[in-house]
Amino acid sequence: MSDQHTQTQISSAEVHEVFADLHTRYGVRGLEEKRADQAFVRTDRDEAVAVLTHLRDRHGYTHLAFLTAVDQIEEGRFELLYMLHNYELRHDLGVIVEIPREGDGCSMDTIHRMWPAAATYQRELREMFGIDFPGSPRLHEDFALEGWHDLPPMRKEFDTREYSERTYYARPGRTKTDTRQHMKDTIYPSEAETW
Amino acid sequence: MTQMILTKALYTVISLAVITNYALILIGTMARIRAKVQGRVGQPFYQPYIDIVKSNAKRTSISHGVMFFLGPVFRLAGGLGTYLFIPAIFGSVIFSNFSFSGDLLLMMYFIFFGQLGMALGAGESGHPHSAIGVARGLAQMTAFELPFVLSVVALAAQYGTLSITEIVAAQQGGFTHWAAFTNPLAMIAGMIAFLGMSGANPFSVVVAPQEIPIGPPTEMQSSFLGMLQTNRAIFNGAKMVLFMNLFWGGAAHENLLVAILIMVVKTFLIYLYVTIVGASFPRFKTEQSIRFFLGVPTVIGIAAVVLQMV
Amino acid sequence: MATADTQTRRYQEPGAPGNAAVVNPDPRTVTGPAGGTGQGDVQTVDGQLRILTEELKLANADLRSEDRGNFCDHPPEVIKPFRAFWENFLNWARSESLWILGFGTGCGAIELRPLMTSRFDMYQYGIQGRPTPRQSSVFVIGGYASVKTMKRIVRSYEQMQGPKFVLGLGSCTINGGMYWDSYNTVNRLDHYIPVDVYIAGCMPRPEALLAGFVKLKEMIKRGECEGANRYAENFEWYKANQKRIIKNWDMPDYNW
Amino acid sequence: MVSPVVLIAASLGFAFLYPLVERLGERAATRIALLVLAAFAGTTAGWTVSLIGSGVALTADTAGFVAPLSIQLQVTAVDALAMTVVTLLALAALVQLTERATDRWHGKQVVLFFVLLLGSYGLIMTRDLFNVFVFMEISGISVFGLLSTSRDGRVFEAGFKYMVASGLASVFFLIGTAFVYRSVGSLSIADITAAAPVALASPVGVMGLLFLVTGILIELKPAPANGWAIDTYQAADPGIGALLSAVNATAMVFVLVRVMPILAGASPVFVPLVLIAGAGAFLIPQAQALLQESFKRMLGYSSVAQIGLVVLAIVIPAAGVPFAGVALAVPLVLLLNHAVAKATLFWIADATGDDASGFGGSLPASLRGRPALLVVAAIAVLALLGLPPFPGFWAKWSLVMGLAAGGHIGLLVVVLLGSLLEVVYLGRWLIMRMRHVDDDATVVSQRIPADFAESRADAVSGAASGASDASGAAAGAIPVGATVSLGLATLLMAGASVAALLGSGVGMPVLIVLIGVAAFAVLDVLRIPLRLQAIVAIAGLSWWGVSAVSGAALTLQSGFVLLFVGGAVVQLVALLARPGRRAGLVALIVGMVLSLAALTAATSPLEVFVAWELMTLTSFFLVVRGRFAAAASVRYLTFSLASALLMLAAFSLATAANPAFGTGGGVIGTLTTSVPWAAVLLALSVLIKLGAIGLHIWLPSSYAEAEDEVSSLASSVLSKAGILLLFLGAGSFAAPLFAGVALNQVLGWIGVITALAGGMMALFQEDIKYTLAYSSMSQLGYMVLAFALMSHLGWVTALYLAVNHLLFKGMLFLAVAGIVMRTGTRLMYQMGGLIKRMPFSFVSVLVGIIAVSGVPPLAGFGGKWLLYTALIEQGWYLQAALALFSSGIAFLYLFRLIHSMFLGQRKTHHDTVTEAPAAVLIPQFVFLVIIIAISMFPNLLIKPLQTIVEPAFASSVRWEGYTVISSLGYWNGNAVMYVVIGVFLAPLLWLLAVKGRTYRVEQFNIVFAAERPHTPQSTHYAYNFYGHYQKAFGRLLDPWVERFWSGVSATAGTVSQTLRAWNTGNPQTYALQILLYLFLTYLVARGGL
């Protein structure tokens, strides 16, 4: 019984159908089916809002599960991930949008008019990554941090350890352990060979 | 004259010392009994003393203004006065206190004295929880006051007097003469009202620690809190002595020590009753407790009064 | 029973306080805004923090001017204990009546709850909870303290009336624990408020907490817990440390 | 002496000559017309003076024959007086009509005016039945002519209706005359009167008289056949309205007076017929006028109603009612009173130029800022309403007394009900016109701004007229014509009032009230500043009060004088805080205090009633001064005058049963009556004044919306008048009412329920003044309860509570006045934390609320102790329990009051608030000292009160030192005080000894869940303070009483609408109505035949 509820109601063919539709309309690309109930697609920044709207209105992805960002510092860009959920099909679809990391380009259209809750995610992204969402409500208010004036702490070039040492009076005498090495040496020495 | 005043002062000190220490120990003991019921060791019976000493041992305190400063003083004065206007032990000169100043009516209204002062002090702290607590407390007070008043009126009608001493005198001569048995309806109404008066569960919404920490005394600290703790003991003692006098025949014996023992036993039982009820019931919301008191207890009280009229 | 060892630690004297200037126990602190733009940072005069005005009142520089009248501007003062016997008696009373502030600052707060149960029964040690800092004497810092929480900790600590005691519960309060390199978690609690007893472990069990309380009681009885006075004595040092991490101060310099 | 014929001839002659005179120029001609009219006035005045002296009539027989051959004109003293007044009013009317700014009269209008006057003179003077018809026709045609000269179609249409109706009336009259002539063979009224019992008793004669009287009645425009007249009043020029109402109607009434003896002689059916007609003519239009939106139409209704009353008054002597003095005194005074007042109101309508009756809030407050016009309008309205000192009052008093004495209870009800309705619509008009320009006349309960904004506009609720005077002055200068006409009318009214006063035989105290008001009014005219006036008033009243009580033994009378005058003098000091001028304020306050004093000194029911009415009037004008008091004062006036009318009814019934009723005066039980209904009415009257539950809806808003100082006076001093009256009427209330229940038991329950309900209502008010007003209601309930006990202790309690209430309510209201003055708001949640800014006010309020709530050791406990002891002693157990419950509720609202204002968080914009002015604080501290004194030494108050009650009851308590001992318990206020001081000082010293270092912190230094407060507004817990209480009681707290009275008001409105629908505005309908009226009179007469 309960399995039925959690199991996806969508077949891979249907996912492909949705993808094909998006592809012809908006040039969406890069379908990745991670699980039966979860897939990811990529789209351009300019098409993203249209894609999301289309998904919400035409394909039943009415729920914005979350919105987050991944810092791909090596490639000089952020990947925004809009995770949508379809209640009918019990299927998650992640829409990945790439935006530049630096300068004026580091911004994205707001979607708070489609999902009011998105404003909160956007505030968090602004605070933690420095991504701008022009027009999003209360965007520049403090969210989780209070009075933060440094680099946005989730950007990879922000050296949190250096910041901590500079700011928080590290207690002298603390020994630091490389976690990987510690696991290898102490905790799982027998499995270490296989790594 | 001077000798008379000094004697009275001495008696007063003795009377107050007895009630204060007794009530403090009673509170401690009762907490320990409750702990035992819950399977704990519990705090020592003298814990209330330590708490009071600790509060007074605070090195700093803050005051929000004159009324805040005087609030606990008013409160303690209310407790002391309430006790001092009640004859604690029937027939005893030492424990007759200042009951010659007025009768039951004086006592009933003097209860307000401390509450008003405390409410003003709490109000001046500027803390919204204090005001909320006071608003709840006062509202609840008017509600339990009605059955209480009805039972008192029934007693006054029964005995034809408002003097506490005379009410106690009329109950002498065996427990069948106690008002609790000669006027059971008044006793029931009064004892239910007493639950509200003592502020224990289910009528503890005034302080409601989880909700409006902790009501009126939210801002009270250090010596101010110490006074409130002292008052809690005295005021509780006074109220229990009052109810003992009204319904349970008072404490009377030619031997003063025996009389005190009678008082101890009776008030202990009264307090135990409050504790048991408190441990057994969850907390009422304000409007619930108002409705409760204006319901069944009031009807019982009216019945008691009507019985005296026919 | 004790699964975590209890470690007590005397406070490191930060040095003698200077004259309306900030003692600088650590060359990396205080002078100049630390990191960031400096906007909303500690007000400085000649590169140094000003907490007190010339009349020895709190400067309350971070408050809006219309708010200043609504807060007391008296700085905390050192209050000398009484002499031997009397103070010992009072200390005994203080140690036997420990009222905990009901403020769970971190994940460790979960370890406080079992103390109320019949199994641990803190009441037998004279310990009980209290919902308002005004009436509490013990502040249990329940684990990691983020900057945001630190602000509330400082405020609540200052609102308690002295003598007051602080228990640091868990490794995070000692050196940041597993959050030692976070951009948002303080490493050493004792740089912000005076701590009397640390309880190591992640997380320490309730028994360890009780052991910490017993230790605290012993120390109080010995007259060693003068945290409030230490705080007043080194007020400017503590303030400088606090203000260095708490950027939107928006409260008086001492929360009475 | 000039012959009456000359007057007729002169009128006619001048009317004919006027077109020639006009050749001299229009202005000159009108001036000459005025001169001629002045000459007429001189003539009639000359007749009056000489005839009153000689007591004989002036007779002129025309054409050289004697009556009945000739037409006889006769002028008696009464006729001459009426003609003088008519002429003077006509003169005033002509001045206005020819001198006003627009649409001046000239040419044929003046001609027709003189013809109308001629007709009226003729109607009054002629003693010939056919001649009456001629003059009726002349009047009718001239009125029609005046109406038809207008180019306004509506006026013309009205004229047509008038023509049809008066034509019908004339026809009836003529038919009647023919019948009468056939039966008697003479047209001379004297002959007919003599012959009537024989010649006219036949059915034919009666039939003829029926036509005759119907014709006259129709001319008097009786309801329900008067729609045509009403339309005329509404459509016509107000000048014509004034003429119709004052001149023509007066003349027609004289015709009825002439004919009445014939009717009475001919058949017994006519007196009841005319009585019924009069009653209908009085009551129906009053109801119709209730919702009237056109002022002129409303005045029209009022006119026909007044004439109805006059008709009643005329008939009643014929019905055998014994009247003192001249046979026609009452109707004549009523008639002239009405003529002058109504003409005045029509001219005011003309002068203000708008016709709105002031129904609803959007209408202009056009009399605000025009003091002269306002005074005149007020005089006219009050005179019409029959309030002292105007002549109408004395007439109404006599009429009501006569009705009761004659056993006409039904008519008594009609007269009182009609009078009440008249109060509603005329009072409302006056109030709406004099209200503050900001007032939308909807405020009858507290108002909370929708957005919680700090409303500084509410601020100066007290600052009544000051600012608007200047702006209003520009609103319009009054034209010359109106000035002269109104001035003349006012002089007439003033003269009549003085004459009535002198003739009425009321005592000195009543006169002193009027002299006091007049004296301070003169100071206002001299533009003496308020402070100076207040000082004069304080000095004068103190002197007067001291001289009134010094040396006198302590009795109810002197006790209440002390209470009233003392209480008021102390509170008058507060006025010194107000700079500038406040026209009328001191005069009215002095008037109110003096009328209260007059109440104590009254030695007859008349004096009691006059004092009561004067108190009502002065206090009404005090209340109406409030900035948003319009709606409240409509209620105040309506309920107060309802109370007065009930009292009047009670007095009349009591006097009818026992002519010695109420003589004696000033002692307990003076006004005792054994008539149960009189006792009930008296009780009702007093209960209204005391704001007892169900009758209280006027009280909160009146006390709250008045100016702050007035609120305090009204609540602390004025409200005790009802208590005094209870004591004066004491003996009446013990009588068994029904099934063995005595009136006092009912009173007791009403008292305790009032106490409870007042307290409950006070709980949920955000507006501090409403809280205090409801609190007053509650306290008065206690006093009624205590009084109703009818025992020694009960009465001592009632008086004790009265004194105590005076003290603490004065303190509280004045403290609030100071706070409102400083903070600019009356809403409690907008205050807070003022203790540090206004510490003295805080102390005053603190002592005040301790005194109210009865917490020992202050004096309030004395009241509680006495009350419960008295209640339990009498076996009123449930009442005692309820009283105690409501005393707990008092504690609740009092705490809310002091907390919300003084404690909690202070608003940032109140940081600079300063302590209330010394002048406001001084009275508070005087009261405070008194409270402390009587708390320490309760015998200071209780023993004198025992002395006062002693004549009625022997003491039931005894004293041992400071201990008062009752049969139930004992109380030693002195010992309590010492014990309290002791138990207070001991902990205080202990605290000072053990406390550590104490730091004084500020308002935001609170524990706030580890946050900090940001605004005082969101931190101060004050709004909806007892929400949970409201929730607990649920629908029990719904405003049932308010709903009931809304229902009454709506029902009255529906009745009014239904009645008004009868007047369709259609001439055919009106003609049919008149025919039906004839049929109706026939039916009534048949019923009697």
Side-chain angles (χ1 to χ4, degrees), chain D residues 9-37 40 93-95 97-99 103-117 146 149:
Chain D
S11 317
L12 195 60
F14 188 71
F16 278 125
L17 282 176
Y18 189 75
L20 290 174
V21 177
E22 211 162 31
R23 302 234 163 162
L24 299 171
E26 214 170 89
R27 301 294 283 164
T30 52
R31 300 266 154 80
I32 289 170
L34 287 176
L35 280 180
V36 170
L37 210 47
F40 289 180
L94 195 62
V95 173
L97 290 167
T98 56
E99 298 291 328
D103 195 19
R104 285 189 178 131
W105 276 18
H106 60 273
K108 63 182 173 221
Q109 286 166 316
V110 179
V111 174
L112 288 167
F113 174 84
F114 272 92
V115 175
L116 177 63
L117 193 62
L146 282 173
T149 52

Side-chain angles (χ1 to χ4, degrees), chain B residues 56 58-67 69-70 72-74 76-78 80-81 84-85 98-103 105-110 112-113 115-116 119-121 123-128 131-132 134-136 138-143 145-146 149-150 153 156-158 160-166 218-219 223-224 227 230 285-288 290-291 294 302 305-306 308-309, chain D residues 835-836 842 846 849-850 853-857 861 864-866 868-869 872 875-885 887-889 891-892 895-896 898-899 902-905 963 966-973 975-976 979-980 983-988 990-992 994-1009 1018-1021 1025-1026 1028-1029 1031-1034:
Chain B
N56 283 313
K58 288 277 185 185
R59 291 180 191 148
T60 61
S61 58
I62 57 142
S63 164
H64 285 274
V66 178
M67 266 332 287
F69 194 93
L70 293 181
V73 178
F74 268 106
L76 184 51
L80 289 172
L84 289 180
F85 289 134
F98 291 88
S99 57
F100 59 83
S101 309
D103 48 27
L105 292 172
L106 174 70
M107 211 289 309
M108 284 168 69
Y109 270 91
F110 202 75
F112 290 123
F113 185 84
Q115 295 189 336
L116 176 67
L120 292 174
E124 208 194 2
S125 75
H127 201 293
I132 294 171
V134 171
R136 292 173 172 189
L138 292 179
Q140 200 171 283
M141 180 197 75
T142 58
E145 198 82 334
L146 189 55
V149 164
L150 283 165
V153 168
Q158 182 188 354
T161 180
L162 282 165
S163 155
I164 302 175
T165 312
E166 284 177 33
T218 300
E219 284 286 308
S223 317
F224 305 119
M227 306 206 76
T230 316
K285 288 198 280 184
T286 321
E287 58 267 24
Q288 288 171 326
I290 291 172
R291 283 186 178 167
L294 297 185
I302 290 175
V305 169
V306 171
Q308 295 302 324
M309 286 163 78
Chain D
I835 177 171
K836 289 172 185 108
F842 172 76
L846 179 61
I849 72 166
I850 293 180
S853 55
V855 174
F861 175 69
K864 303 288 180 194
W865 185 86
L866 287 167
Y868 301 124
T869 306
I872 295 175
W876 291 26
Y877 301 133
L878 289 176
Q879 289 92 326
L882 268 184
L884 237 155
F885 179 50
S887 139
I889 287 172
F891 194 67
L892 254 66
F895 176 74
R896 176 187 189 170
I898 197 165
H899 167 83
F902 288 104
L903 307 176
Q905 299 276 337
T963 310
S966 73
S967 60
L968 286 167
Y970 51 91
W971 169 52
N972 183 341
V976 171
V979 171
V980 170
V983 295
F984 187 79
L985 280 183
L988 181 62
W990 167 256
L991 178 64
L992 291 173
V994 303
K995 79 184 177 63
R997 205 169 294 184
T998 303
Y999 297 93
R1000 180 56 209 286
V1001 299
E1002 301 298 331
Q1003 66 185 59
F1004 276 0
N1005 286 111
I1006 57 176
V1007 294
F1008 208 59
S1018 55
T1019 316
H1020 186 50
Y1021 179 73
F1025 201 78
Y1026 290 118
H1028 43 64
Y1029 219 71
K1031 212 165 153 190
F1033 280 86

Side-chain angles (χ1 to χ4, degrees), chain D residues 527-584:
Chain D
R527 308 182 81 78
I528 306 291
L530 180 72
R531 281 177 178 159
L532 205 57
Q533 285 193 33
I535 290 171
V536 174
I538 291 167
L541 282 179
S542 313
W543 173 79
W544 189 84
V546 167
S547 62
V549 291
S550 64
L554 188 61
T555 58
L556 186 71
Q557 182 177 0
S558 53
F560 267 92
V561 169
L562 264 178
L563 197 70
F564 291 144
V565 179
V569 163
V570 173
Q571 293 182 51
L572 271 172
V573 175
L575 288 183
L576 298 179
R578 304 262 187 202
R581 296 192 308 114
R582 299 272 206 83

